[in-house]
Amino acid sequence: MKARIALLSAALGLCCPVFANTVHTSALTSQFYYDGLIVTPDGSGYFGQQWLENATDVTLFPKNGNTATWTLTLTNWRGQPIVGEPVEISAAPLTLTAPQWREPDDMAARFSHSVRTKVLARIEQGLFRLTAPFDVSSPVTDARGQVTVAIHNFHSCGNDSVPGSDRFVARVGSLQQTLEVKCAVNGLVPIPDTPNQGLTTAGLVGRHLHPNLLAALQNLGRAWHAQPDKPAGMPDHLTITGATMRWGGINPPHFTHKFGGTVDIRPLGTQSGPISVGDAAYDRQATQSLVDALVQLGATQIIFADNLRGVTQVKANHKNHLHVSFLSEPLEPWHHDDADTDSEGLHWHNYDGIYDTRYFIPTVKLLEPDALRFDLADWLN
């Protein structure tokens, strides 16, 4: 009888409770919180909040003041917090690892001699960031079993097929959480070379723009291509000589051209190829007509060496291109004073606390080609 009871108990599992052989393991989980500029894949954007549980990769817009928090929580097998446990946090470049993107001296060497000292100073101050800096709330878990990591954005987004990124690793004993933090302006599109439709490029490294700006410039190019009374020798296309890197961000030797809303355009003349103010082939009235059209499209800043109507700043070192921006404030997100200018005479800037997408996403009027008119009369020459 006792044997039969023992056999029945074994069959029902009564003699060996299930929890007796359960491994009591702890768990490390994470939550990512971001309150800042969020750009959607089509290039539109908004200031908002994101909460992501156990995220493996996130994208931060290269705007100073964009800071995210990565909260790590350590619990025991019952889901209770484990207090006072050391947590190791490390970070290293994952993509875009070449020294010219990540090392201060190599990055500074890509700028003109006159500003390299300033670039190095801004990197040292943490305002011009080549990696994602971070701060840890505590070296050990608190009463909630948590450690919070503040992750700041950086500016090395790059020009490759994938954006620049840093890999963060959190370790507690044998437990680990990883997070890839990317630097990118999402939604930028490449500029196609279509001279037969009125728009082409020359000498570009970064050849991307916000899609709205590209569409507007393509319509402008089509209008120029169709213009019937151009002077002899004048090309029937417009030429872009400066744009934005594939993922936005740092674009040496410029302090600008960072968000896809700024473009350099060659002035017009009676010959193809490079044209500068003062050249015999430079056509002042045709260039004035181009400036008028850019203003009509909504340009907020036009820098050029000739004091044409609509030019907002006259700078002698802008003889061979019009620097045109459609951003509300077309400068860069670094602190500046009057002495801090790049090779084009443009300032650093600080965008901390600015919550207006027009500073980062261009506002462009998408006019059809037949809405754009060019006055090529010779009254300015």
Side-chain angles (χ1 to χ4, degrees), residues 40-364:
T40 57
D42 65 355
S44 61
Y46 60 95
F47 282 93
Q49 300 173 326
Q50 293 184 98
W51 287 269
L52 302 172
E53 299 291 337
N54 296 316
T56 57
D57 67 90
V58 294
T59 300
L60 300 185
F61 194 88
K63 165 195 177 297
N64 280 357
N66 275 6
T67 297
T69 55
W70 190 38
T71 301
L72 300 142
T73 304
L74 182 64
T75 56
N76 62 22
W77 66 281
R78 290 191 176 94
Q80 300 168 329
I82 299 177
V83 180
E85 191 70 23
V87 180
E88 177 189 352
I89 307 295
S90 62
L94 179 63
T95 60
L96 202 68
T97 57
Q100 64 176 353
W101 287 105
R102 299 295 195 157
E103 295 297 327
D105 288 338
D106 294 278
M107 172 59 76
R110 301 171 67 187
F111 288 84
S112 63
H113 284 281
S114 62
V115 299
R116 288 178 186 175
T117 299
K118 297 171 185 175
V119 170
L120 287 171
R122 294 302 182 262
I123 294 173
E124 178 66 25
Q125 292 165 355
L127 300 172
F128 186 171
R129 303 167 188 156
L130 308 184
T131 61
F134 65 96
D135 304 298
V136 183
S137 62
S138 170
V140 298
T141 54
D142 62 15
R144 296 172 295 178
Q146 294 181 341
V147 164
T148 299
V149 185
I151 301 175
H152 310 281
N153 77 298
F154 62 114
H155 307 108
S156 293
C157 300
N159 208 30
D160 297 340
S161 59
V162 295
S165 64
D166 285 3
R167 183 173 185 260
F168 281 76
V169 180
R171 293 186 178 89
V172 182
S174 62
L175 301 177
Q176 177 175 295
Q177 280 271 351
T178 62
L179 179 69
E180 180 181 351
V181 177
K182 300 174 184 176
C183 171
V185 177
N186 288 322
L188 301 185
V189 293
I191 306 168
D193 283 303
T194 53
N196 61 339
Q197 297 181 44
L199 192 68
T200 190
T201 67
L204 294 189
V205 176
R207 57 178 310 111
H208 286 73
L209 290 173
H210 189 278
N212 293 352
L213 178 52
L214 177 59
L217 293 176
Q218 286 176 317
N219 282 349
L220 177 60
R222 292 185 184 101
W224 177 251
H225 188 270
Q227 180 68 27
D229 55 349
K230 293 189 283 290
M234 186 170 289
D236 59 1
H237 58 264
L238 305 175
T239 302
I240 296 174
T241 61
T244 298
M245 295 288 190
R246 171 67 185 86
W247 300 103
I250 296 170
N251 186 9
H254 301 286
F255 288 174
T256 53
H257 296 272
K258 186 171 190 287
F259 303 130
T262 303
V263 63
D264 289 343
I265 301 177
R266 182 175 289 167
L268 294 169
T270 53
Q271 66 181 36
S272 296
I275 291 288
S276 293
V277 175
D279 291 350
Y282 169 62
D283 191 303
R284 193 168 189 241
Q285 177 54 33
T287 304
Q288 176 67 75
S289 291
L290 173 59
V291 172
D292 291 342
L294 293 167
V295 171
Q296 190 178 352
L297 291 176
T300 56
Q301 180 192 62
I302 301 177
I303 302 175
F304 190 45
D306 194 354
N307 189 21
L308 301 176
R309 179 183 61 250
V311 170
T312 58
Q313 288 180 275
V314 178
K315 289 186 178 291
N317 57 356
H318 282 64
K319 290 183 177 181
N320 65 353
H321 70 279
L322 296 99
H323 175 94
V324 187
S325 183
F326 291 79
L327 301 172
S328 178
E329 172 57 81
L331 299 177
E332 290 307 283
W334 301 302
H335 290 295
H336 77 279
D337 57 41
D338 290 341
D340 281 346
T341 57
D342 69 0
S343 59
E344 293 189 329
L346 299 178
H347 290 285
W348 306 90
H349 195 66
N350 174 30
Y351 284 152
D352 284 4
I354 293 178
Y355 297 96
D356 185 340
T357 58
R358 293 176 301 171
Y359 284 74
F360 314 101
I361 300 172
T363 302
V364 190

